[in-house]
Amino acid sequence: MTAPAVTGASPRPSAALKRLTGAVTFLLPLVVLVIVWEAAVRITQVHPGVFPGVGAVMKAGAESIRDGSLWMHVGASMGRVMLGTVLAILVGVPLGVLMGVSPAVSTFLTPLFRFFSVLAGIAWIPIATLWFGYGFGAIIFVIFNAVFFVVAYNTLLGVSGIPITLRNAAASLGAGPWTMLREVLLPGALPNIVTGIRTGLGFAWRGLIAAEMIATNVGLGYMLFLARDFYRTELIVFGMVVIGILWLLIDRLILAPLERRTIERWGLVRS
Amino acid sequence: MKSLSIRNLSKTYFDPYAGKHVTAVQAVSLDVPEGEFVCVVGPSGCGKTTILNMIAGFIPLSGGEIVVDGRSVSGPGPDRGVVFQSHALFPWKTVLENVAFGPKMRGVPLADREAIAREYLALAGLAHAADRYPNELSGGMQQRVGVARALANQPAVLLMDEPFASVDAQTRMTLQEELTRIWQERRPTIIFITHDVPEAVFLANRVVVLSKGRVLKEIDIDLPRPRVWDALIEDERFKTLSAQVLQLVRSA
């Protein structure tokens, strides 16, 4: 067992052990998938142009790392996701708060936001390229859209879910509109906002890859599309693996812990 | 601490279930001089919580006037501190930050407002819980924090809306004794809403019995202080007063 090495670094051995078991149970199916994949390729003797083995994909990956093209594509994709997401949060959260403080407005807008939440992401690509042309603007628009509606809707849910007694308490302690926003509405809605960001980024990631296939000349989606033109199946598969792994890393290392932590501390009031 | 005066207060609202306008509070007048402890009792639906919500400024008046410290008030404000039935503490703030919230709203610097908060936490017997979060506390401790938070803002009047209704009987008695101790030390002006007759008689200088949105009777409680349950539970005067108030509430 490697557990003792891990527990040495952590104050709570049981927690570290739990995390290790969690990581193993999460990774095991993925390892099995790779083994099955390699075995299937060897047994069926499928043509590498149709589906390559693990070795060929790793070689293609190593090559793209060496010549720097992987970093270029990853960097471009991540930069777009970050910019689109930050813009969406900057617009979505204030709008969600605004809607959340007025029951009439939130009742009216809720169906609209549910409608657009479903549409978020890929469905906007055609119209985005019409409006913004092929390139940066269209992709940012698609990401913005994916995150914006989900974040705004979740902010609205969060704000309207804050018990009225908390707002009354703050008001009777002297809070004005701004302090109410900063001290009560935003922290009270934070668990929902974080959930919204996590869901929205999931849409955004899918939308990004799709948009990059159509509307640009750099990025992970473009990397897949380009590899197809050269019949580089192993590079396509490598790109797909990278897209999956990057999302898992973002979600499990940043978003999920962030969500867990805010909900754990705040959550007990939500009942 | 300053006085509170309610003149001809009334509240009517439209009841969608009954399909007509309902009068919840009718021409209620009440004077609470500085430093008095008044308990308002009455059965459910007598309008006591409605009156408190109007004084706090949470709901608009249909008629009448509320005067605090010589000024007519409308809307919530820091001159009227509120202790809620559900503790209403900010779950994302520590106990200390919760109690320091009022001074923070007044722009008191961090070190000063934390000193104020610690003083009032000590008053409520909670100095050890300063760095904990509300959801880590028992119901009784949460209500103590609620009292400390309201007092730390030094309101002209302290409005308490059945604050001990949802804690267990033993804790409730302790909280009641602590509240009378705090009142004797600091002499805040308090309006305390309850449906619990012994609680009202135990706490108050004066009990106001409410019925169908009107003041039925006001009874002065001349029991000596400090008041503790062990002594009062057998006290003849306490029994007589409780019986008298109970009879009024039941006839209401």
Side-chain angles (χ1 to χ4, degrees):
Chain A
M1 285 292 284
T2 50
V6 180
T7 55
S10 169
R12 283 181 55 205
S14 63
L17 192 67
K18 217 167 158 186
R19 205 172 310 144
L20 186 75
T21 348
V24 170
T25 39
F26 184 79
L27 287 176
L28 188 68
L30 297 175
V31 174
V32 170
L33 175 69
V34 172
I35 293 169
V36 170
W37 163 20
E38 179 64 20
V41 167
R42 287 188 187 205
I43 291 164
T44 58
Q45 295 286 315
V46 65
H47 189 275
V50 176
F51 207 87
V54 176
V57 170
M58 281 170 68
K59 215 177 116 205
E63 193 185 306
S64 72
I65 290 170
R66 219 178 8 254
D67 69 15
S69 62
L70 178 68
W71 306 128
M72 183 179 72
H73 293 305
V74 168
S77 293
M78 298 290 274
R80 286 166 186 151
V81 162
M82 260 158 61
L83 180 65
T85 302
V86 167
L87 284 176
I89 292 171
L90 287 180
V91 184
V93 170
L95 192 72
V97 171
L98 219 62
M99 296 188 301
V101 291
S102 161
V105 177
S106 83
T107 308
F108 180 78
L109 286 176
T110 296
L112 294 178
F113 271 71
R114 292 177 93 142
F115 176 77
F116 280 108
S117 296
V118 175
L119 269 188
I122 304 171
W124 285 89
I125 294 172
I127 208 162
T129 52
L130 260 179
W131 290 348
F132 297 95
Y134 289 86
F136 191 71
I139 296 173
I140 295 297
F141 177 78
V142 167
I143 295 167
F144 177 89
N145 240 300
V147 181
F148 169 77
F149 287 104
V150 187
V151 166
Y153 180 55
N154 275 275
T155 307
L156 182 160
L157 284 184
V159 170
S160 50
I162 295 170
I164 187 71
T165 51
L166 286 188
R167 280 158 68 178
N168 281 342
S172 69
L173 287 165
W178 276 113
T179 40
M180 184 71 80
L181 175 70
R182 198 184 64 224
E183 303 277 348
V184 181
L185 301 182
L186 285 181
L190 193 64
N192 289 75
I193 294 174
V194 173
T195 303
I197 293 172
R198 187 178 178 197
T199 315
L201 264 176
F203 288 135
W205 193 242
R206 296 173 186 87
L208 167 84
I209 304 300
E212 283 177 344
M213 288 187 188
I214 298 165
T216 184
N217 52 16
V218 66
L220 284 166
Y222 177 74
M223 179 178 136
L224 297 194
F225 210 65
L226 190 70
R228 181 202 165 273
D229 281 353
F230 292 96
Y231 299 102
R232 298 274 318 270
T233 323
E234 72 285 2
L235 197 57
I236 296 179
V237 174
F238 176 70
M240 292 166 70
V241 171
V242 170
I243 288 166
I245 288 177
L246 267 181
W247 173 251
L248 286 182
L249 289 179
I250 294 171
D251 191 59
R252 286 187 66 90
L253 295 185
I254 302 170
L255 300 176
L258 192 68
E259 185 180 48
R260 216 166 30 240
R261 201 170 309 168
T262 48
I263 288 173
E264 257 168 29
R265 179 170 290 175
W266 276 252
L268 287 175
V269 213
R270 301 238 140 233
S271 55
Chain B
M1 295 286 174
K2 299 288 163 37
S3 64
L4 170 87
S5 176
I6 298 167
R7 288 170 205 150
N8 266 321
L9 196 63
S10 70
K11 179 72 185 177
T12 54
Y13 62 93
F14 184 75
D15 183 346
Y17 299 103
K20 58 180 181 187
H21 280 84
V22 179
T23 303
V25 176
Q26 213 171 350
V28 167
S29 294
L30 183 67
D31 277 300
V32 185
E34 182 172 351
E36 200 186 359
F37 196 148
V38 170
C39 282
V40 179
V41 288
S44 310
C46 71
K48 55 190 192 295
T49 295
T50 308
I51 290 176
L52 186 116
N53 281 334
M54 283 192 282
I55 301 173
F58 299 150
I59 56 174
L61 323 181
S62 302
E65 194 186 20
I66 294 165
V67 179
V68 175
D69 194 10
R71 278 178 300 115
S72 182
V73 294
S74 64
D79 51 345
R80 285 148 291 144
V82 184
V83 180
F84 298 83
Q85 184 175 348
S86 60
H87 61 79
L89 301 174
F90 305 118
W92 49 85
K93 289 178 183 292
T94 62
V95 165
L96 188 73
E97 288 165 347
N98 263 285
V99 179
F101 188 84
K104 184 179 185 181
M105 294 303 100
R106 280 189 319 223
V108 177
L110 182 69
D112 295 346
R113 65 179 185 250
E114 287 200 352
I116 295 172
R118 284 188 196 283
E119 179 197 334
Y120 281 91
L121 277 177
L123 183 69
L126 278 172
H128 61 284
D131 297 322
R132 287 158 78 180
Y133 283 90
N135 65 31
E136 299 169 334
L137 307 179
S138 67
M141 289 168 83
Q142 288 169 339
Q143 289 303 4
R144 285 192 187 97
V145 179
V147 172
R149 180 175 71 175
L151 283 176
N153 212 24
Q154 294 176 314
V157 238
L158 185 61
L159 308 169
M160 305 184 77
D161 183 14
E162 305 197 36
F164 307 147
S166 53
V167 297
D168 66 84
Q170 281 73 33
T171 308
R172 190 182 311 144
M173 290 172 119
T174 313
L175 290 172
Q176 288 159 350
E177 289 176 346
E178 283 178 10
L179 184 62
T180 57
R181 172 182 58 79
I182 290 171
W183 179 79
Q184 274 192 282
E185 276 182 40
R186 302 282 168 144
R187 292 294 167 130
T189 311
I190 299 179
I191 298 180
F192 190 108
I193 304 288
T194 181
H195 60 263
D196 181 339
V197 170
E199 175 172 73
V201 175
F202 178 86
L203 293 172
N205 300 80
R206 181 159 50 116
V207 170
V208 177
V209 182
L210 221 61
S211 168
K212 302 187 183 77
R214 291 172 181 276
V215 174
L216 193 66
K217 197 166 168 82
E218 299 189 21
I219 297 161
D220 286 320
I221 307 295
D222 47 9
L223 296 168
R225 293 182 190 267
R227 294 179 187 168
V228 285
W229 277 110
D230 287 345
L232 278 187
I233 203 99
E234 298 294 331
D235 187 277
E236 287 306 319
R237 183 78 191 128
F238 176 77
K239 284 183 189 169
T240 312
L241 285 166
S242 295
Q244 191 187 349
V245 175
L246 187 65
Q247 200 177 18
L248 282 166
V249 170
R250 296 203 64 184
S251 73

Short mmCIF file of all heavy atoms in Angstrom, two decimals, chain A residues 86-107:
data_model
loop_
_atom_site.label_atom_id
_atom_site.label_comp_id
_atom_site.label_asym_id
_atom_site.label_seq_id
_atom_site.Cartn_x
_atom_site.Cartn_y
_atom_site.Cartn_z
N VAL A 86 -15.21 34.77 -17.65
CA VAL A 86 -15.11 35.95 -16.79
C VAL A 86 -16.12 37.02 -17.24
O VAL A 86 -16.84 37.59 -16.42
CB VAL A 86 -13.67 36.51 -16.81
CG1 VAL A 86 -13.63 37.90 -16.18
CG2 VAL A 86 -12.73 35.57 -16.06
N LEU A 87 -16.21 37.23 -18.55
CA LEU A 87 -17.19 38.20 -19.06
C LEU A 87 -18.61 37.80 -18.65
O LEU A 87 -19.40 38.63 -18.20
CB LEU A 87 -17.10 38.30 -20.59
CG LEU A 87 -15.92 39.07 -21.17
CD1 LEU A 87 -15.92 39.00 -22.70
CD2 LEU A 87 -15.94 40.52 -20.72
N ALA A 88 -18.90 36.50 -18.81
CA ALA A 88 -20.25 36.01 -18.49
C ALA A 88 -20.57 36.19 -17.01
O ALA A 88 -21.69 36.54 -16.64
CB ALA A 88 -20.39 34.55 -18.88
N ILE A 89 -19.57 35.95 -16.14
CA ILE A 89 -19.80 36.11 -14.70
C ILE A 89 -20.01 37.59 -14.37
O ILE A 89 -20.91 37.94 -13.60
CB ILE A 89 -18.60 35.53 -13.90
CG1 ILE A 89 -18.56 34.01 -14.05
CG2 ILE A 89 -18.71 35.91 -12.42
CD1 ILE A 89 -17.31 33.37 -13.49
N LEU A 90 -19.19 38.44 -15.00
CA LEU A 90 -19.29 39.88 -14.72
C LEU A 90 -20.66 40.44 -15.10
O LEU A 90 -21.17 41.34 -14.45
CB LEU A 90 -18.20 40.65 -15.49
CG LEU A 90 -16.78 40.49 -14.93
CD1 LEU A 90 -15.78 41.28 -15.76
CD2 LEU A 90 -16.74 40.94 -13.47
N VAL A 91 -21.27 39.89 -16.15
CA VAL A 91 -22.59 40.38 -16.55
C VAL A 91 -23.69 39.56 -15.88
O VAL A 91 -24.71 40.11 -15.45
CB VAL A 91 -22.75 40.31 -18.09
CG1 VAL A 91 -24.09 40.90 -18.50
CG2 VAL A 91 -21.61 41.06 -18.77
N GLY A 92 -23.49 38.25 -15.78
CA GLY A 92 -24.55 37.35 -15.32
C GLY A 92 -24.88 37.50 -13.84
O GLY A 92 -26.05 37.48 -13.47
N VAL A 93 -23.85 37.66 -13.00
CA VAL A 93 -24.11 37.75 -11.56
C VAL A 93 -24.89 39.02 -11.20
O VAL A 93 -25.93 38.91 -10.53
CB VAL A 93 -22.79 37.64 -10.76
CG1 VAL A 93 -23.02 37.99 -9.30
CG2 VAL A 93 -22.21 36.24 -10.88
N PRO A 94 -24.46 40.20 -11.65
CA PRO A 94 -25.26 41.39 -11.33
C PRO A 94 -26.69 41.30 -11.85
O PRO A 94 -27.64 41.65 -11.15
CB PRO A 94 -24.52 42.53 -12.02
CG PRO A 94 -23.13 42.04 -12.19
CD PRO A 94 -23.23 40.56 -12.39
N LEU A 95 -26.85 40.79 -13.06
CA LEU A 95 -28.20 40.67 -13.62
C LEU A 95 -29.03 39.69 -12.79
O LEU A 95 -30.20 39.94 -12.50
CB LEU A 95 -28.13 40.20 -15.08
CG LEU A 95 -29.45 40.33 -15.82
CD1 LEU A 95 -29.77 41.78 -16.11
CD2 LEU A 95 -29.41 39.53 -17.12
N GLY A 96 -28.41 38.58 -12.40
CA GLY A 96 -29.11 37.60 -11.57
C GLY A 96 -29.54 38.19 -10.24
O GLY A 96 -30.64 37.93 -9.76
N VAL A 97 -28.65 39.00 -9.64
CA VAL A 97 -28.99 39.64 -8.36
C VAL A 97 -30.16 40.60 -8.55
O VAL A 97 -31.13 40.59 -7.80
CB VAL A 97 -27.78 40.41 -7.79
CG1 VAL A 97 -28.20 41.25 -6.60
CG2 VAL A 97 -26.68 39.44 -7.39
N LEU A 98 -30.07 41.39 -9.61
CA LEU A 98 -31.13 42.35 -9.92
C LEU A 98 -32.48 41.65 -10.05
O LEU A 98 -33.49 42.09 -9.52
CB LEU A 98 -30.79 43.05 -11.24
CG LEU A 98 -31.09 44.53 -11.34
CD1 LEU A 98 -30.29 45.32 -10.32
CD2 LEU A 98 -30.79 45.02 -12.75
N MET A 99 -32.47 40.51 -10.76
CA MET A 99 -33.71 39.76 -10.93
C MET A 99 -34.14 39.13 -9.62
O MET A 99 -35.32 39.03 -9.33
CB MET A 99 -33.52 38.67 -11.98
CG MET A 99 -33.23 39.24 -13.36
SD MET A 99 -33.24 37.95 -14.62
CE MET A 99 -31.97 36.86 -14.01
N GLY A 100 -33.14 38.70 -8.83
CA GLY A 100 -33.45 37.99 -7.59
C GLY A 100 -34.11 38.85 -6.54
O GLY A 100 -34.87 38.35 -5.73
N VAL A 101 -33.82 40.16 -6.52
CA VAL A 101 -34.40 41.00 -5.47
C VAL A 101 -35.84 41.40 -5.81
O VAL A 101 -36.56 41.88 -4.96
CB VAL A 101 -33.57 42.28 -5.19
CG1 VAL A 101 -32.25 41.91 -4.53
CG2 VAL A 101 -33.32 43.06 -6.47
N SER A 102 -36.26 41.19 -7.04
CA SER A 102 -37.64 41.51 -7.41
C SER A 102 -38.40 40.25 -7.79
O SER A 102 -38.16 39.68 -8.84
CB SER A 102 -37.65 42.49 -8.58
OG SER A 102 -38.91 42.46 -9.21
N PRO A 103 -39.30 39.79 -6.93
CA PRO A 103 -40.05 38.55 -7.23
C PRO A 103 -40.79 38.63 -8.56
O PRO A 103 -40.84 37.65 -9.31
CB PRO A 103 -41.04 38.45 -6.06
CG PRO A 103 -40.46 39.29 -4.98
CD PRO A 103 -39.68 40.38 -5.65
N ALA A 104 -41.35 39.81 -8.86
CA ALA A 104 -42.12 39.94 -10.10
C ALA A 104 -41.22 39.73 -11.30
O ALA A 104 -41.56 38.99 -12.23
CB ALA A 104 -42.77 41.32 -10.16
N VAL A 105 -40.04 40.37 -11.27
CA VAL A 105 -39.11 40.24 -12.38
C VAL A 105 -38.62 38.80 -12.52
O VAL A 105 -38.54 38.26 -13.62
CB VAL A 105 -37.90 41.20 -12.19
CG1 VAL A 105 -36.89 41.01 -13.31
CG2 VAL A 105 -38.38 42.64 -12.15
N SER A 106 -38.33 38.17 -11.39
CA SER A 106 -37.80 36.80 -11.46
C SER A 106 -38.87 35.83 -11.96
O SER A 106 -38.58 34.92 -12.72
CB SER A 106 -37.23 36.37 -10.11
OG SER A 106 -38.23 35.89 -9.28
N THR A 107 -40.12 36.05 -11.56
CA THR A 107 -41.20 35.19 -12.04
C THR A 107 -41.32 35.31 -13.56
O THR A 107 -41.49 34.32 -14.26
CB THR A 107 -42.55 35.60 -11.41
OG1 THR A 107 -42.38 35.65 -10.00
CG2 THR A 107 -43.65 34.60 -11.76
#
